[in-house]
């Protein structure tokens, strides 16, 4: 049963009113190992198997793709170079294995890598960078004289990491058979303030729900991206820009064609939720944007966690990047106060492979895979990656090709069943994200050990209001913290509670009582 409720919070004399919902018919699942009472205000998650609630004790893991790691390479460079027609088969994401045919006659290495240099942890905050309008540092690429990079104006920075806006549809409303019956699908959606109309969507040959997203993305031609999340059985429509002006509205019915925007299909017309992008307004740049613009192709850099990585534009044994050195004019940003890449903290890694005179084995395989999968080389083993992540991501063992020389086995790629190792994708199962907050009398550990406890009250905010809770009252078990990050949803526990459940946690002094209204 759902009730309309009002919560009053007094924060140093300021009253905050919020309206939301609580459910008082929920079941807290049995916990045979429990030794502590279940306290009121404990954050709960929901079990997929039976819908019963349990304390949130962990967060969903990061989503990763499935892989196949071959056995150690079985052929020499010369043996591969002698093959003008070589083949193998591989299956991706449960689809029928496809054949890959390669001409290795022009290779000069197994795999080329680019030289790069990883700076120490970023030493400056965004405000500190914003105060610099004449930044400068030096860097040497591929053994050449150091390049002086100057005139770096960071005054317009607005974020380290911008995110896109997106729209999360309600639960997928059709099985694959129903989708297959649609040959003229259509819908309209407003992305970044511009209306996009997609039509003529033919899903008759789609084998999986991921294929539905692929068909829409092909028609969208980069104007938006649709992602299917098998864990929650929802489609997400993502903007092609980032920043605070990046937005996606609910999809709506088209002028003509079969409407796939509503409850029977995407189900995003009323049940979904829009999430705006974060960061700048789409006009300001990130730290790495500004440096890359000044580099003008002589190198490029990207941010990995709290480190800036500088990469050579070339690959192979001649590819190298030096540690950063001090700039000769303007504000030096090479050292510990800013980029923190000065000698002693930056770590250079030389490139490997040939001298860029020909393609590598990996280059040729990836060209033939054409985005259906990706191949890399890890020490002495080839690794094949699915292009998708999480639920539904899978890679098969290599099998014999039908064209030219079979290179799937021990003499070459060495990935035949029994020598290759399959790596499963990781994804959350939905049980490790918040579902609500227990609001009732403490439940004795012995009662939870003895059996499931029914008819419990759980806070779960409504779409037209918000519960505001004293963050000191919120209970998280297993040493979790409100600011712990949940990789699968790309939010902290605090953010997920507020943005998905309309339960805000604040530093307050008094929290009011809940009363139905």
């Amino acid at each position: 049963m759902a009730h309309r409720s009002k919560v009053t919070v007094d924060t140093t004399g300021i009253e905050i009113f919020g309206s939301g919902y609580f459910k008082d018919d929920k079941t807290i699942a049995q916990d045979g190992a429990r030794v502590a009472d279940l306290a009121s205000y404990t954050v709960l998650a929901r079990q997929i198997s039976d819908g019963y609630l349990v304390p949130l004790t962990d967060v969903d893991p990061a989503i990763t793709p499935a892989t196949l790691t071959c056995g150690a390479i079985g052929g020499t460079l010369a043996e591969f170079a002698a093959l003008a027609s070589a083949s193998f088969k591989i299956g991706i994401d449960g689809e029928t294995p496809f054949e890959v045919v390669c001409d290795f006659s022009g290779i000069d290495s197994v795999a080329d890598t680019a030289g790069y240099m990883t700076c120490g942890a970023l030493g400056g905050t965004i405000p500190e960078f914003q105060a610099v309008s004449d930044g400068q540092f030096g860097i040497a690429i591929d053994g050449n004289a150091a390049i002086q990079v100057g005139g770096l104006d960071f005054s317009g920075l607005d974020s380290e990491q911008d995110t896109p806006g997106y729209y999360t549809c309600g639960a997928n409303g059709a099985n694959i058979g129903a989708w297959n019956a649609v040959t003229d699908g259509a819908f309209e959606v407003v992305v970044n303030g511009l209306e996009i109309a997609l039509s003529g969507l033919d899903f008759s040959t789609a084998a999986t729900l991921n294929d539905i997203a692929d068909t829409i993305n092909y028609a969208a031609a980069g104007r938006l991206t649709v992602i299917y999340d098998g864990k929650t059985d929802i489609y997400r429509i993502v903007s092609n820009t980032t920043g605070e002006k990046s937005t996606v509205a609910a999809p709506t019915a088209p002028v003509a064609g079969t409407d796939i925007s509503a409850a029977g299909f995407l189900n995003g017309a009323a049940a979904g939720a829009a999430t705006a992008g974060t960061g700048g307004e789409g006009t300001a740049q990130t730290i790495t944007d500004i440096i890359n613009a000044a580099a003008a192709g002589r190198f490029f850099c990207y941010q990995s966690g709290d480190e800036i990585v500088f990469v050579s534009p070339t690959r192979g044994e001649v590819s190298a990047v030096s540690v950063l050195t001090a700039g000769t004019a303007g504000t030096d940003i090479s050292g510990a106060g800013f980029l923190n890449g000065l000698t002693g903290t930056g770590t250079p890694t030389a490139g490997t492979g040939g001298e860029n005179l020909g393609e590598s084995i990996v280059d040729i395989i990836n060209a033939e895979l054409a985005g259906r999968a990706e191949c890399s080389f890890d020490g002495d083993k080839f690794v094949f990656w699915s292009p998708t992540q999480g639920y539904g991501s899978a890679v098969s063992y290599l099998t014999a090709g039908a064209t030219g020389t079979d290179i799937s086995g021990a003499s070459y790629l060495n990935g035949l069943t029994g020598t290759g190792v399959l790596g499963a994708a990781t994804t959350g199962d939905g049980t490790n994200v918040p579902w609500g907050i227990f609001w009732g009398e403490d439940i004795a550990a012995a009662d939870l050990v003895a059996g499931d406890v029914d008819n419990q009250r759980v806070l779960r905010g409504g779409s037209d209001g918000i519960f505001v809770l004293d963050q000191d009252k919120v209970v998280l078990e297993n040493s979790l913290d409100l600011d712990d990050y949940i990789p699968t949803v790309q939010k902290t526990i605090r953010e997920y509670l507020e943005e998905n459940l309309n339960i805000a946690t604040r530093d307050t002094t008094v929290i009011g009582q809940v009363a139905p209204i």
Side-chain angles (χ1 to χ4, degrees):
M1 176 183 294
H3 295 274
R4 191 69 167 268
S5 310
K6 180 172 287 185
V7 179
T8 303
V9 180
D10 183 353
T11 98
T12 61
I14 301 175
E15 287 189 330
I16 302 175
F17 292 90
S19 64
Y21 295 89
F22 61 82
K23 296 180 179 291
D24 60 3
D25 58 351
K26 298 293 103 179
T27 299
I28 309 294
Q30 181 180 4
D31 185 349
R34 194 167 187 88
V35 295
D37 295 347
L38 180 63
S40 183
Y41 298 96
T42 295
V43 178
L44 301 177
R46 184 173 182 268
Q47 294 187 149
I48 294 298
S49 58
D50 52 22
Y52 290 173
L53 302 177
V54 294
L56 181 74
T57 57
D58 199 1
V59 293
D60 271 341
I63 302 175
T64 63
T67 61
L68 166 69
T69 301
C70 297
I73 184 172
T76 65
L77 189 63
E79 289 171 331
F80 272 97
L83 303 177
S85 179
S87 65
F88 63 90
K89 290 183 179 180
I90 186 170
I92 301 296
D93 297 348
E95 303 291 343
T96 302
F98 57 87
E99 185 170 38
V100 182
V101 182
C102 302
D103 178 359
F104 295 117
S105 57
I107 60 171
D108 70 352
S109 67
V110 176
D112 293 341
T113 63
Y116 62 92
M117 190 276 295
T118 304
C119 295
L122 195 63
T125 64
I126 288 296
E128 288 171 330
F129 270 97
Q130 287 173 330
V132 176
S133 59
D134 61 346
Q136 183 158 334
F137 63 88
I139 188 170
I141 304 295
D142 299 344
N144 298 314
I147 301 167
Q148 290 296 312
V149 182
L152 300 172
D153 184 355
F154 297 106
S155 58
L157 285 179
D158 54 19
S159 71
E160 294 181 57
Q161 187 70 41
D162 292 348
T163 63
Y166 60 90
Y167 185 85
T168 302
C169 297
N172 166 45
N175 59 28
I176 192 62
W179 279 106
N180 288 154
V182 177
T183 59
D184 62 342
F187 69 95
E188 296 181 2
V189 63
V190 176
V191 178
N192 304 335
L194 301 175
E195 185 173 288
I196 297 173
L198 299 180
S199 60
L201 301 170
D202 184 353
F203 304 110
S204 60
T205 61
T208 69
L209 293 173
N210 277 312
D211 293 341
I212 304 301
D214 291 341
T215 299
I216 297 173
N217 289 334
Y218 181 80
R223 292 173 292 173
L224 58 84
T225 300
V226 174
I227 300 170
Y228 175 69
D229 183 350
K231 173 174 67 70
T232 55
D233 192 28
I234 60 95
Y235 286 96
R236 182 171 289 115
I237 306 171
V238 185
S239 167
N240 59 347
T241 66
T242 60
E244 64 187 36
K245 291 188 176 180
S246 177
T247 58
V248 180
T252 57
V255 175
T258 299
D259 177 18
I260 63 168
S261 70
F265 292 98
L266 292 178
N267 199 17
T275 302
T278 62
E281 298 179 355
T283 55
Q285 296 175 302
T286 65
I287 293 171
T288 54
D289 287 337
I290 293 168
I291 295 174
N292 284 330
R298 294 173 293 179
F299 62 85
F300 71 93
C301 67
Y302 64 92
Q303 186 163 343
S304 175
D306 63 349
E307 298 170 335
I308 302 289
V309 181
F310 290 82
V311 185
S312 166
T314 64
R315 294 182 301 165
E317 62 187 31
V318 297
S319 178
V321 179
S322 76
V323 295
L324 302 185
T325 55
T328 57
T331 301
D332 174 27
I333 62 169
S334 67
F338 290 97
L339 297 178
N340 202 12
L342 203 57
T343 304
T345 56
T347 304
T349 301
T352 62
E355 298 181 358
N356 290 312
L357 301 178
E359 293 181 296
S360 69
I361 294 174
V362 169
D363 288 335
I364 292 171
I365 291 175
N366 279 327
E368 299 301 329
L369 287 171
R372 296 172 291 181
E374 183 177 350
C375 177
S376 62
F377 190 70
D378 182 11
D380 62 347
K381 299 179 179 68
F382 290 97
V383 182
F384 290 86
W385 305 75
S386 166
T388 64
Q389 296 181 331
Y391 182 86
S393 179
V395 180
S396 75
Y397 290 107
L398 302 185
T399 55
T403 305
T405 302
D406 170 32
I407 59 170
S408 67
S411 295
Y412 290 99
L413 296 179
N414 200 14
L416 204 59
T417 303
T419 55
V421 177
L422 296 177
T426 61
T427 184
D429 62 4
T431 61
N432 293 332
V433 295
W435 191 89
I437 292 182
F438 173 48
W439 190 301
E441 299 296 329
D442 292 1
I443 300 176
D447 292 338
L448 269 176
V449 171
D452 298 325
V453 180
D454 298 327
N455 298 317
Q456 297 302 307
R457 180 170 292 181
V458 178
L459 281 177
R460 189 171 165 86
S463 60
D464 62 341
I466 192 165
F467 283 119
V468 183
L469 303 185
D470 184 342
Q471 64 183 6
D472 294 332
K473 289 183 177 289
V474 176
V475 177
L476 285 159
E477 297 194 349
N478 200 26
S479 300
L480 289 179
D481 185 271
L482 281 170
D483 293 317
D484 283 341
Y485 187 71
I486 310 173
T488 47
V489 295
Q490 298 184 358
K491 297 176 184 177
T492 64
I493 294 173
R494 185 193 306 275
E495 290 168 341
Y496 191 88
L497 286 170
E498 182 160 351
E499 296 172 20
N500 293 69
L501 304 183
N502 280 355
I503 300 174
T505 55
R506 298 287 187 264
D507 185 10
T508 62
T509 55
V510 179
I511 185 161
Q513 298 300 310
V514 174
I517 59 173

